[in-house]
Amino acid sequence: MPELPEVEVVRRGLAQHVVGRRITDVTVLDPRSVRRHLAGPHDFIARLTGRTLVDARRRGKYLWLAVDEGDAVLCHLGMSGQFRLGDADTEAPRHLRIALDLDDGVRVFFADQRIFGGMALSEDGAELPPEIEHIARDPLDPEFDAAAFTTRLRKRQTGVKRALLDQTLISGIGNIYADEALWRTPLHYARNTRHLRTREIDGLLRHVVEVMRQALEEGGTSFDTLYVNVNGESGYFERSLAVYGQEGLPCGRCGTPIRREPFMNRSSFRCPVCQPRPRNGRW
Ligand SMILES: [Zn+2]
């Protein structure tokens, strides 16, 4: 599932290659991919054709293309959504669901194997689509308020990883980057947010930003060509993972085998020595 760095890589690609262009034609190959556009695929096509793309924006894992007159196309990547760019001669990618033709001959392909993703026109959504108003700012957002986050985090009284995954508290962090940031800090994932020290929260935020920036840098290199892609995996960053998916491999700090534990229907990876279960009830 794409996380913030993967979505940001796509956003940058779209900002570079499609912003400023007018949409001349819209093709919906599978109506399920516009199911969030409640007025249906014909309305989606009619209202998007002829519009000019003015910006590519993101909050957390949500991406939208601002169009003229203050509206936006809200894009959900879901589990497997991908954007690719080509032209009239480009062979359509597998699982193509939506295609946008632009006035400079570029074709924007939206492919989505599992169809959890899709697009919808968001009225007045250019600045921030009302559909995602409840999503908190992400830690890479210049207007992210660390002090307000710390206050809200302490009030949650929940496990710190659970809080990191709560998109209404802080957005853009999924399972992979939560585990990586917790290892770097280091903190056990079940530490109660109410009892975290300010120093620990500051450290955690710093490592969340650091791990995402690093993933972004490593994702940026393959991005010079007219081709944008989210592969639904951690992608380029995979080789740099310290704990996620590293069960049984030695911790990069102390050599202890990394442990995998069930967590919210998924898994958590941690070093049992660097990130011990707190003792003496000090949660
Ligand atoms: Zn360790």
Side-chain angles (χ1 to χ4, degrees):
M1 190 157 182
E3 296 194 22
L4 186 154
E6 290 79 19
V7 179
E8 174 62 13
V9 167
V10 174
R11 189 199 67 76
R12 289 179 182 179
L14 292 173
Q16 195 178 340
H17 298 296
V18 311
V19 165
R21 308 314 325 180
R22 197 169 56 85
I23 300 168
T24 55
D25 208 1
V26 179
T27 312
V28 176
L29 291 99
D30 192 319
R32 289 174 294 174
S33 293
V34 292
R35 67 192 175 284
R36 292 184 185 90
H37 187 83
L38 300 179
H42 294 293
D43 184 76
F44 178 79
I45 292 167
R47 293 179 64 185
L48 213 49
T49 305
R51 309 294 287 273
T52 298
L53 299 165
V54 298
D55 205 358
R57 295 183 177 156
R58 181 188 58 74
R59 177 173 282 197
K61 300 180 232 180
Y62 290 85
L63 176 75
W64 65 96
L65 292 166
V67 297
D68 51 20
E69 294 175 36
D71 298 331
V73 187
L74 182 57
C75 309
H76 300 255
L77 295 175
M79 300 288 283
S80 56
Q82 298 181 340
F83 277 97
R84 292 188 184 185
L85 302 183
D87 56 30
D89 297 327
T90 308
E91 193 185 337
R94 289 184 70 197
H95 312 296
L96 178 66
R97 310 299 181 199
I98 299 169
L100 308 177
D101 288 291
L102 307 182
D103 61 356
D104 59 350
V106 167
R107 295 201 89 188
V108 182
F109 298 111
F110 179 74
D112 187 9
Q113 183 180 0
R114 300 177 67 181
I115 320 192
F116 289 114
M119 292 185 193
L121 190 82
S122 172
E123 269 180 47
D124 301 322
E127 282 301 317
L128 177 66
E131 295 86 349
I132 59 165
E133 262 171 358
H134 61 288
I135 303 291
R137 288 187 188 278
D138 63 65
L140 297 187
D141 189 324
E143 290 182 51
F144 179 81
D145 185 340
F149 167 76
T150 302
T151 305
R152 292 186 66 208
L153 181 73
R154 286 213 173 102
K155 284 186 186 151
R156 288 292 162 114
Q157 298 202 47
T158 184
V160 61
K161 180 172 172 183
R162 201 175 275 267
L164 286 180
L165 298 179
D166 180 348
Q167 306 294 304
T168 64
L169 183 66
I170 186 169
S171 70
I173 306 173
N175 214 26
I176 299 172
Y177 296 106
D179 280 4
E180 292 298 310
L182 288 167
W183 179 80
R184 288 180 185 210
T185 304
L187 281 177
H188 187 284
Y189 59 82
R191 284 284 302 280
N192 190 319
T193 53
R194 188 180 185 179
H195 303 306
L196 289 176
R197 299 179 183 89
T198 304
R199 172 173 57 80
E200 291 174 318
I201 299 173
D202 291 349
L204 179 62
L205 271 180
R206 199 172 64 244
H207 286 104
V208 162
V209 169
E210 190 183 278
V211 77
M212 285 183 169
R213 289 237 166 93
Q214 194 183 333
L216 262 175
E217 276 168 26
E218 292 174 26
T221 51
S222 64
F223 208 41
D224 299 330
T225 52
L226 201 66
Y227 179 85
V228 263
N229 183 19
V230 160
N231 64 11
E233 300 292 331
S234 59
Y236 333 93
F237 190 60
E238 216 161 338
R239 281 160 296 166
S240 307
L241 294 174
V243 281
Y244 187 84
Q246 309 297 305
E247 185 182 14
L249 295 173
C251 165
R253 239 183 333 243
C254 75
T256 309
I258 298 299
R259 194 177 286 174
R260 179 168 71 89
E261 289 157 329
F263 180 85
M264 290 171 75
N265 298 320
R266 289 186 284 177
S267 296
S268 260
F269 296 87
R270 69 174 173 112
C271 170
V273 172
C274 298
Q275 301 163 272
R277 232 166 226 293
R279 282 170 296 182
N280 305 329
R282 193 177 59 78
W283 283 84

